[in-house]
Amino acid sequence: MTAQALPQAQAAAVRDAEIARLEALLDSQPWGTVAFGREGGEHRVVVANARAQQMLGRRVATGASLMQVFGALSENAAGGAMANEEALCEALARGLEIPLGESWLWLKLAHVEAGEGNRAPAHGGIDATVALIDVTALRRGLDERIASLRFLSHDLRSPLNSIIALSQLAESDAPAFDQCGGMDQIGRLARYALTLGENFIFSSVLGNLRKNDFSRFDLRATVRELVPQLEVAAVYRRVLLRLWLPDEAAVWIEGVRSFTARAFQNLVDNAIQASRPGSTVTILFKVGDGHAEIHVSDQAGGLPGLRAKGRIERFDTQPNRSSKGFGLGLKLAAQIVGMHGGTLHAEPNDEAGTTFVMRLPCLTPGDTPAATAAVHVFKQGAL
């Protein structure tokens, strides 16, 4: 070997060692990576890790151009095939979602920067890398969500069209409007439409909740705030709504306030809709043994089979509709309460009706006076 060839051989050995180290580093990544250097004005492959070649389903040759590796794939992208490397680089820098066989890949180009934002070749002469991430599961989940939204839109169309038709009938033919159920029927249809939307939202969100989605809130204040809103339905149904609430300090629980509020509202709304005019729905809030309990009692005759069983803790077998209206929200309320580490059950009461007991753990343990020391703050439809 000549003296001139020796430095060249040493430089090549150093470069090969750097590439080997880079390849080992890239192979340790859970995603695919193709590293490119600049040669003759083009990006050319320096190294592609095993994961990238597996995802692409072919060997990526060292020295192949960016267009050779990804140009054909860009034909399947939303924007269509890229005319040249510059256009492909710009698209990859923004991010490209590519269908490949039965999979979906997310491709993202990042330039290698060195010092004060100036681009410069890194180890092995790397100028840019393209990351390949398998987003098949995410894409399928999105497709399923879109399909669910289409079904929801279809299901909502029927009750909403009926509400529109009834409202038009009320203006043009009052006797026919009354014969079709009048405002009671509009209310039932509206509640049904509301429940369809709620079920979709909760089923979509509940499975993806994380601990950091929970926050501390005052359950007592939440109940105190919601009851006046529910009074509107009670007045319309000519039902007396009573609230017994302890006049004590805040009752803190950890959870999702909007979900907990919805569970409580569903229980009260069910009781109101099932009740006869002139009957009473009672809400009792009490705290003990480190738990808050909300009792919602009606005089509506009781759930099917409740008297025989004495207690019902599972509501997935309850009918979605009864002769008295839509039986809304029990399954959903039970799911929400369970998500918060609590329980929900129904039991017969002495008023020939049902009492639903929603029990949630408190953040601050300690007993407060229950019903005996409660203040009757909501009686006969007025605060």
Side-chain angles (χ1 to χ4, degrees):
M1 182 178 294
T2 64
Q4 183 178 2
L6 185 59
Q8 294 177 349
Q10 290 175 338
V14 170
R15 176 180 170 81
D16 289 344
E18 288 181 345
I19 292 176
R21 287 196 297 271
L22 177 61
E23 188 172 9
L25 174 64
L26 297 183
D27 281 338
S28 68
Q29 297 175 340
W31 56 85
T33 303
V34 182
F36 292 88
R38 296 281 290 187
E39 184 178 327
E42 289 185 318
H43 283 93
R44 293 194 173 274
V45 175
V46 175
V47 62
N49 69 355
R51 177 64 175 151
Q53 300 187 70
Q54 178 187 13
M55 294 169 75
L56 293 171
R58 58 187 169 86
R59 181 177 177 273
V60 178
T62 300
S65 69
L66 185 73
M67 287 294 293
Q68 289 173 328
V69 178
F70 297 115
L73 290 179
S74 69
E75 296 177 2
N76 298 324
M82 306 301 158
N84 51 50
E85 180 177 298
E86 182 179 359
L88 181 58
C89 276
E90 290 178 359
L92 288 171
R94 293 191 299 268
L96 275 181
E97 189 180 49
I98 303 290
L100 185 60
E102 296 182 356
S103 300
W104 284 85
L105 303 182
W106 175 256
L107 311 181
K108 186 71 170 68
L109 181 144
H111 288 288
V112 176
E113 305 286 342
E116 300 301 327
N118 298 317
R119 212 163 69 221
H123 292 296
I126 305 303
D127 180 78
T129 62
V130 176
L132 295 83
I133 301 172
D134 189 337
V135 293
T136 306
L138 183 62
R139 179 71 188 213
R140 287 176 181 167
L142 180 61
D143 290 343
E144 291 173 1
R145 187 68 54 83
I146 291 173
S148 296
L149 282 170
R150 289 188 180 127
F151 281 119
L152 175 63
S153 175
H154 178 270
D155 290 342
L156 284 172
R157 190 173 294 116
S158 177
L160 293 179
N161 284 341
S162 296
I163 290 172
I164 292 172
L166 281 168
S167 64
Q168 293 172 341
L169 196 60
E171 296 177 357
S172 61
D173 191 341
F177 173 72
D178 293 337
Q179 188 177 0
C180 291
M183 290 302 300
D184 284 341
Q185 181 66 1
I186 287 180
R188 285 191 290 269
L189 290 167
R191 287 192 299 277
Y192 177 59
L194 176 63
T195 299
L196 287 175
E198 282 186 341
N199 285 342
F200 173 79
I201 292 171
F202 282 108
S203 63
S204 300
V205 174
L206 283 178
N208 298 311
L209 279 176
R210 300 291 181 267
K211 189 64 176 176
N212 57 7
D213 295 318
F214 284 46
S215 61
R216 180 174 175 262
F217 68 93
D218 182 358
L219 182 62
R220 181 189 180 281
T222 300
V223 170
R224 185 67 176 80
E225 176 185 327
L226 291 173
V227 170
Q229 300 174 24
L230 296 162
E231 184 192 10
V232 176
V235 170
Y236 176 74
R237 297 281 300 178
R238 289 183 291 161
V239 172
L240 180 63
L241 188 61
R242 291 177 174 171
L243 171 64
W244 290 88
L245 192 69
D247 189 16
E248 296 289 338
V251 178
W252 298 102
I253 72 168
E254 186 175 27
V256 182
R257 184 182 183 276
S258 59
F259 282 14
T260 307
R262 191 64 243 177
F264 169 70
Q265 287 175 303
N266 282 350
L267 294 179
V268 178
D269 187 62
N270 280 345
I272 292 172
Q273 300 307 321
S275 296
R276 301 179 305 276
S279 61
T280 301
V281 171
T282 302
I283 304 165
L284 168 65
F285 187 103
K286 62 180 183 178
V287 180
D289 299 326
H291 285 77
E293 287 188 359
I294 302 173
H295 295 228
V296 179
S297 302
D298 61 43
Q299 301 168 343
L303 291 177
L306 179 60
R307 293 284 168 183
K309 295 177 181 178
R311 182 182 177 114
I312 293 177
E313 297 176 343
R314 293 178 59 88
F315 301 98
D316 49 3
T317 59
Q318 292 296 312
N320 289 328
R321 186 174 181 176
S322 68
S323 60
K324 297 179 180 178
F326 291 93
L328 306 179
L330 287 181
K331 301 172 189 177
L332 189 57
Q335 191 176 10
I336 293 171
V337 172
M339 178 188 76
H340 287 77
T343 60
L344 175 66
H345 74 267
E347 58 191 28
N349 59 39
D350 295 335
E351 302 294 330
T354 304
T355 295
F356 292 93
V357 181
M358 186 168 117
R359 182 175 167 86
L360 295 167
C362 300
L363 281 177
T364 53
D367 296 342
T368 58
T372 54
V375 178
H376 195 187
V377 296
F378 192 75
K379 187 175 183 179
Q380 298 184 354
L383 285 171

